[in-house]
């Protein structure tokens, strides 16, 4: 498989069946527009079907892993029923394609990871983060429900108390904090992150492929069991994209000010 047709993901084959995938939109801190979001959703099916790939490593070009959804995309989605319908299908594909990919996935979180970026970062089987990376789900600050991955993975990784706190406030965590909370496997100085991710991937690529893949499949049943919770949260996020708060949310971001949400008006 040649992985042709991808415009914002770069692929590099390495020894022992390791495929390095780089999110390549560095001028936008790898923020996901419609094109990149679609590529991140479908690439895991191609990884799964590629006979040359045993393990995938994903990282970001430049200083960021992925700085969430492109604000222009958010603006185009707000109040757009057809757009919301499409995104609901695609965000579900993104989550379930990662979970259902037989090959192990390693994330090298080299910088900020928000939105679709943090979906990939945290749903990866092994997550290696820079100590100073910043991870978060800022949906509530935008005026929409946290839906694209949070309900399925944050309580399992960080525990319900931490999940509630960070998802309800929209605050960020550093890579070092994420390691302490159990959200990532390791936190390292930034310049060591990719090398360590590739080392782990190389080990996995030389291991018993059937044993590793079936172990992953068994572990991911914890995530599959939370599927109905995720499906509901995804629908709630898309519902709130049709309301007035998201308009105030993205307008406030554009104007670099605190939002004044209509739902919180006195």
């Amino acid at each position: 498989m040649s992985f042709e047709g991808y415009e914002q993901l770069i692929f590099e084959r390495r020894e022992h069946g390791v495929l390095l995938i780089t999110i390549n939109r560095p001028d936008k801190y790898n923020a996901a527009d419609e094109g990149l979001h679609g590529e991140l959703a479908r690439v895991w099916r191609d990884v799964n079907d590629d006979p040359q790939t045993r393990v995938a490593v994903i990282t970001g070009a430049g200083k960021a892993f992925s700085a969430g959804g492109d604000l222009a995309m958010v603006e185009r989605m707000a109040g757009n029923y057809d757009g919301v319908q499409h995104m609901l299908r695609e965000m579900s594909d993104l989550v379930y394609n990662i979970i259902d990919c037989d090959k192990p996935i390693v994330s090298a979180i080299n910088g900020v990871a928000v939105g679709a970026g943090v979906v990939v970062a945290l749903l990866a089987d092994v997550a290696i983060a820079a100590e100073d990376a910043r991870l978060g789900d800022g949906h509530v600050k935008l005026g929409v429900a946290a839906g694209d991955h949070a309900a399925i993975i944050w309580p399992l990784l960080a525990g319900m108390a931490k999940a509630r706190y960070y998802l309800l406030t929209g605050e960020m965590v550093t890579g070092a904090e994420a390691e302490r909370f159990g959200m990532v496997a390791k936190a390292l100085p930034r310049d060591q992150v990719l090398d360590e991710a590739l080392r782990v991937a190389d080990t996995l690529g030389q291991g018993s492929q059937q044993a590793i893949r079936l172990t992953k499949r068994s572990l991911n049943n914890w995530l599959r069991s939370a599927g109905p919770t995720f499906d509901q949260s995804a629908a709630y996020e898309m519902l709130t994209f049709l309301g007035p708060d998201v308009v105030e949310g993205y307008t406030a971001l554009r104007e670099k000010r605190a939002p004044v949400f209509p739902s919180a008006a006195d």
Side-chain angles (χ1 to χ4, degrees):
M1 182 176 290
S2 63
F3 291 95
E4 294 179 353
Y6 287 89
E7 297 181 353
Q8 299 186 65
L9 298 177
I10 295 175
F11 301 88
E12 178 188 346
R13 294 196 184 276
R14 303 175 71 95
E15 289 185 322
H16 305 125
V18 174
L19 179 68
L20 175 60
I21 305 170
T22 303
I23 306 170
N24 189 39
R25 206 179 178 220
D27 56 319
K28 299 290 186 181
Y29 295 96
N30 302 318
D33 60 6
E34 290 92 340
L36 178 55
H37 195 277
E39 291 184 9
L40 287 172
R42 77 174 188 268
V43 68
W44 310 111
R45 289 197 299 264
D46 288 342
V47 166
N48 189 71
D49 295 341
D50 178 34
Q52 297 180 62
T53 298
R54 300 178 198 165
V55 54
V57 176
I58 185 162
T59 193
K63 297 180 179 180
F65 184 80
S66 177
D70 185 281
L71 192 56
M73 179 181 73
V74 172
E75 292 175 344
R76 288 189 289 269
M77 280 182 56
N80 180 347
Y81 179 76
D82 290 337
V84 163
Q85 266 198 323
H86 173 79
M87 184 58 67
L88 179 58
R89 290 192 300 272
E90 196 167 85
M91 66 195 292
S92 296
D93 286 344
L94 174 56
V95 167
Y96 288 123
N97 286 346
I98 293 174
I99 293 171
D100 292 337
C101 179
D102 285 337
K103 320 290 179 62
I105 300 164
V106 180
S107 59
I109 310 166
N110 56 306
V112 64
V114 185
V118 81
V119 177
V120 177
L122 295 184
L123 285 176
D125 302 292
V126 179
I128 312 292
E131 293 168 334
D132 61 348
R134 299 175 71 243
L135 298 81
D137 187 300
H139 282 82
V140 295
K141 289 189 173 182
L142 185 62
V144 296
D148 62 7
H149 77 297
I152 200 171
I153 193 66
W154 282 65
L156 187 62
L157 296 179
M160 187 60 77
K162 293 293 187 187
R164 284 171 170 157
Y165 179 81
Y166 285 100
L167 298 178
L168 293 174
T169 65
E171 293 182 13
M172 305 278 280
V173 300
T174 65
E177 289 171 330
E179 181 187 36
R180 190 166 70 249
F181 298 161
M183 299 173 69
V184 300
K186 294 184 179 182
L188 300 169
R190 186 178 293 236
D191 61 358
Q192 298 177 24
V193 169
L194 182 56
D195 286 345
E196 177 62 8
L198 290 169
R199 184 196 67 79
V200 172
D202 198 59
T203 300
L204 294 171
Q206 295 180 79
S208 168
Q209 295 306 291
Q210 184 180 34
I212 289 169
R213 294 175 191 181
L214 292 178
T215 298
K216 169 178 176 169
R217 185 178 297 180
S218 298
L219 288 169
N220 278 357
N221 279 330
W222 289 100
L223 299 178
R224 293 185 185 93
S225 70
T229 298
F230 163 69
D231 294 340
Q232 184 179 35
S233 71
Y236 284 168
E237 180 186 348
M238 294 300 99
L239 176 65
T240 48
F241 261 100
L242 300 175
D245 278 3
V246 68
V247 177
E248 170 59 14
Y250 69 65
T251 301
L253 279 174
R254 284 280 187 211
E255 297 175 356
K256 295 181 171 57
R257 60 171 175 81
V260 181
F261 292 118
S263 63
D266 293 331

